[in-house]
Amino acid sequence: MSDRKPSNLDIANEEAFRRMTSADPVLVDILPAREVVPGMNKRIVLTSGPALAWREYEGGQRQGIIGGVIYEGWASNADEAVALLDSGEVAVGACQDHSCVGSLAGIYTPSMPVFVVEDRASGQRAFCNMYEGKSRKRLNYGIYDDVVRDQLKLVEYVLAPTIAAAVREMGGVPLKPIMIRSLNMGDELHSRNTAASLLFARELFPSFLRLYGELGEAVQKTIELLTEDNYFFLRLSMASSKVAADLAHGVEGSSLVTAMAFNCKEFAIRVSGIDGWIRGPHAAVEAKLFDGHDESEITWMGGESPITETIGLGGFAQAGAPTLQAYQGGSYAAMMERNESLYRITHGENPDFKLAVFAYRGTPTGIDVFRVLEERVLPVMDIGIAGKGGGQIGAGIVSAPVECFQKAAALYKELYPQ
């Protein structure tokens, strides 16, 4: 046994790790963003990644913001929406500045329903909007048309109020037990949520039966939507992960990463003991594209779902999800090797999230800026791939750019000189 005295860095990182892994997220409600998300009771559209000025947004992320303005009824077409955004009559905000976390382009507007996820002990809250449905054409992938509008209205007027009624009737739904069990059923809770989505639906079934006499067809439609697609739980996984990561943020002297995110121009990380985003170039991607698409179409339009990797899920649990090789490419042997290498850059093993394939070893959790540089191993993330024309065109693995970690290490040394 070593008799080395822990350094201030060791102590700070252990505290951040403890906070991150002790989070107990519970779904307590589903409400329109304007009623519960800080700063959303005005004309504003939230989007993913570190904030940019409105005129800097481009491609699918820009189109998603425009679509959000039209969806709210503030404009009847794209030209009117752009005029409102140019004038500042409609503001653009960053999801994470409002305790939200955005999938791909994110796109929150005040009327959109959001999951309200709360840590049981601290009351820390995070919000995530709801999955639009199985169509590859979605607002968070930079498309807004009649089909997307109808999907969003179905979520707003049928799916969200029905699930909300069940959640309230139950007094909330603990999410961590679902996440733990689904990891043992082949999910990694980022690109694969098949088991978690079904387990979540099962939690609601008794309440749905009790509410059927009151809500009738809405219950039937909600069950159909919940069970027709395998990605519904992703937004709950993201909100749960943000609660945990935010609990770990702000620990003085900690070098653990508490968020990873994209916007259309860059990749960025947050570090517990450093204020603000640390920005770098886009990540490197290894993609498996859907039939009819090629690499020239790949584009970036934002994304904060790597919050799951930040707390030891997603790419940090991919060895437990062997079926992902059919979805995002590669081999299972490569997935296992990649996952095992991530233990070298993390503070510890998650006490709750376990990988059966590694003899129930806890997932590697708590990315340490300095270990990334020392080990020359970059964090990896499982993500959906967006196309320049909008929509999802594939899936794959991305590796965080080393420049973010180099900048973070330099900033840390300035803030905490030896």
Side-chain angles (χ1 to χ4, degrees), residues 21 27 64 73 75 80 88 191 224 323 368 378:
T21 58
L27 174 63
E80 291 180 9
S191 283
E224 176 187 324
T323 58
D368 185 342
L378 296 172

Side-chain angles (χ1 to χ4, degrees), residues 31-338:
L31 291 166
R34 70 167 75 88
E35 295 183 21
V36 68
V37 174
M40 285 291 283
N41 57 344
K42 60 184 179 181
R43 287 189 168 194
I44 187 169
V45 178
L46 303 187
T47 192
S48 292
L52 299 172
W54 150 243
R55 294 176 187 273
E56 292 186 69
Y57 288 104
E58 60 188 22
Q61 189 160 26
R62 180 182 174 89
Q63 293 306 311
I65 295 167
I66 292 168
V69 175
I70 299 170
Y71 180 73
E72 282 297 310
W74 300 328
S76 59
N77 57 53
D79 288 341
E80 291 180 9
V82 169
L84 290 171
L85 290 158
D86 283 347
S87 69
E89 291 181 61
V90 175
V92 178
C95 291
Q96 298 221 18
D97 290 344
H98 296 261
S99 299
C100 296
V101 59
S103 175
L104 268 293
I107 313 302
Y108 288 66
T109 65
S111 68
M112 289 181 181
V114 296
F115 290 121
V116 183
V117 174
E118 182 176 288
D119 175 56
R120 198 191 303 263
S122 68
Q124 177 81 40
R125 282 187 166 187
F127 311 97
C128 195
N129 56 8
M130 298 183 73
Y131 184 60
E132 296 174 44
K134 65 181 181 179
S135 172
R136 291 178 185 171
K137 295 172 63 176
R138 301 193 290 274
L139 183 61
N140 73 316
Y141 273 89
I143 294 179
Y144 186 80
D145 59 16
D146 289 348
V147 172
V148 173
R149 179 202 61 214
D150 291 346
Q151 290 170 178
L152 291 169
K153 292 295 182 185
L154 188 62
V155 170
E156 183 178 346
Y157 291 108
V158 179
L159 187 65
T162 307
I163 296 177
V167 170
R168 292 169 195 154
E169 201 259 357
M170 297 169 65
V173 180
L175 298 174
K176 201 166 196 178
I178 294 173
M179 298 165 77
I180 291 169
R181 187 170 184 189
S182 69
L183 284 170
N184 288 316
M185 297 172 70
D187 284 355
E188 40 72 90
L189 291 163
H190 189 170
S191 283
R192 190 183 192 278
N193 285 272
T194 305
S197 297
L198 292 173
L199 289 171
F200 176 72
R202 191 185 73 165
E203 289 294 308
L204 301 181
F205 285 160
S207 189
F208 282 155
L209 290 173
R210 291 190 289 270
L211 292 168
Y212 185 78
E214 175 185 348
L215 300 178
E217 290 184 8
V219 170
Q220 289 181 288
K221 186 62 177 177
T222 297
I223 291 173
E224 176 187 324
L225 293 168
L226 269 176
T227 56
E228 75 175 357
D229 192 83
N230 296 326
Y231 285 93
F232 186 86
F233 194 85
L234 172 58
R235 305 302 177 86
L236 288 164
S237 175
M238 289 168 60
S240 298
S241 298
K242 179 158 175 62
V243 163
D246 282 358
L247 284 171
H249 192 70
V251 176
E252 185 176 0
S254 173
S255 61
L256 298 193
V257 173
T258 53
M260 299 189 288
F262 307 83
N263 58 34
C264 55
K265 292 183 177 292
E266 61 202 348
F267 182 87
I269 64 173
R270 293 173 76 203
V271 176
S272 179
I274 302 174
D275 289 335
W277 288 98
I278 300 159
R279 306 178 186 221
H282 276 310
V285 60
E286 300 174 33
K288 180 178 180 181
L289 303 180
F290 301 145
D291 291 343
H293 297 281
D294 61 57
E295 290 189 357
S296 68
E297 300 175 63
I298 296 174
T299 191
W300 301 102
M301 58 177 67
E304 297 176 337
S305 53
I307 196 72
T308 56
E309 276 79 4
T310 305
I311 72 156
L313 299 171
F316 286 63
Q318 65 184 264
T323 58
L324 277 182
Q325 60 191 304
Y327 177 57
Q328 63 188 27
S331 68
Y332 186 46
M335 289 166 65
M336 291 180 67
E337 182 178 354
R338 185 185 299 121

